[in-house]
Amino acid sequence: GRTDHRHFGTSRGHTPLNVAGIDSDANHKSSWHHYLKQKCHVSSACPKRGCYDCPKFSAPGENPYFKELHQMSEHIRAQDFIASGEADVWRKTVDL
């Protein structure tokens, strides 16, 4: 058959959603963050994963596992900050 008469026949190609009068499923999908949050909430590891905004606690950051992990990471960051010498400008030094 000829290929220059593509507009003939039953195949009309893609119909835009607003023309078809239907809605996309993409408008009803939850975000990746909320999907992972819900997945964590129903798993046996919750709240031990230490999520900042764990739904099992009243306020964000109230998860004791999060507090423990956060304190440990802050300590590691402080040690790295001191070891690299970036904290030297805030140290008080005395020349003897």
Side-chain angles (χ1 to χ4, degrees):
R2 293 179 54 171
T3 59
D4 58 341
H5 295 295
R6 291 178 189 237
H7 60 280
F8 292 164
T10 57
S11 175
R12 299 197 189 277
H14 174 73
T15 304
L17 294 175
N18 64 328
V19 174
I22 59 174
D23 201 6
S24 170
D25 287 340
N27 296 332
H28 302 288
K29 289 181 181 176
S30 63
S31 69
W32 187 243
H33 167 74
H34 289 100
Y35 169 74
L36 290 177
K37 188 175 173 184
Q38 177 63 25
K39 190 173 180 182
C40 175
H41 182 63
V42 297
S43 74
S44 61
C46 183
K48 294 177 184 162
R49 292 192 48 191
C51 300
Y52 171 74
D53 53 352
C54 183
K56 292 192 176 187
F57 297 94
S58 59
E62 290 296 318
N63 186 342
Y65 295 98
F66 167 76
K67 289 181 179 180
E68 181 181 337
L69 290 172
H70 184 67
Q71 183 180 10
M72 189 171 27
S73 65
E74 286 289 316
H75 181 68
I76 292 170
R77 285 180 61 208
Q79 285 179 332
D80 183 51
F81 196 58
I82 292 169
S84 67
E86 292 181 58
D88 291 346
V89 294
W90 289 286
R91 288 185 178 169
K92 294 182 180 179
T93 58
V94 176
D95 293 329
L96 298 176

